[in-house]
Amino acid sequence: MTRFKVLLLGGLVLGLGALGYGAFSALGFEGASAGIAAEAVLIVVVVVWTGSYLLRVVTGRMTFMEQRRRYRQVYDQVTDAELQARFDALSEAEQQALLAQLEAESAAGSEDAR
């Protein structure tokens, strides 16, 4: 979030508080009571907003995480298709040689893990 957006958000919350004060004053609340009521509404809004953010963090449904997940899915699909096309373009002998090499590397890797 940019500094401008943070300042804008702060101004909006401040404006919401002033609007709430005006609304409660219009409803018949006196000075301090209208201020307390408007402040209580703002506190509830901030607590609910913070709670929804924490819920998204815990469940992993944050905007960045979802964008990254979608990007990774598309990237894997494109990469798999490209690798498959390259493999299909090889001759039968080259395909068999590549598969044998991969099996040998896989076997060597599993022995190193032991």
Side-chain angles (χ1 to χ4, degrees):
M1 188 177 268
T2 64
R3 287 183 189 143
F4 176 74
K5 286 184 180 178
V6 169
L7 291 173
L8 183 64
L9 186 62
L12 288 173
V13 170
L14 186 65
L16 183 64
L19 192 66
Y21 178 80
F24 282 113
S25 292
L27 289 174
F29 286 77
E30 294 183 16
S33 296
I36 292 171
E39 185 177 336
V41 169
L42 280 178
I43 289 173
V44 168
V45 168
V46 169
V47 167
V48 168
W49 183 25
T50 305
S52 72
Y53 175 76
L54 291 175
L55 181 66
R56 285 183 290 143
V57 168
V58 170
T59 60
R61 299 199 56 163
M62 297 177 66
T63 305
F64 172 74
M65 298 287 284
E66 290 193 11
Q67 287 176 341
R68 186 168 182 244
R69 197 173 295 126
R70 282 193 306 265
Y71 171 80
R72 187 61 194 207
Q73 268 183 330
V74 172
Y75 176 79
D76 287 344
Q77 289 173 352
V78 169
T79 303
D80 290 347
E82 185 179 318
L83 287 174
Q84 186 65 45
R86 285 184 178 185
F87 182 76
D88 292 340
L90 296 175
S91 68
E92 185 69 31
E94 290 173 323
Q95 288 179 357
Q96 295 302 325
L98 180 60
L99 291 173
Q101 179 185 358
L102 290 174
E103 287 176 7
E105 289 176 5
S106 177
S110 63
E111 288 178 9
D112 290 341
R114 293 179 193 168

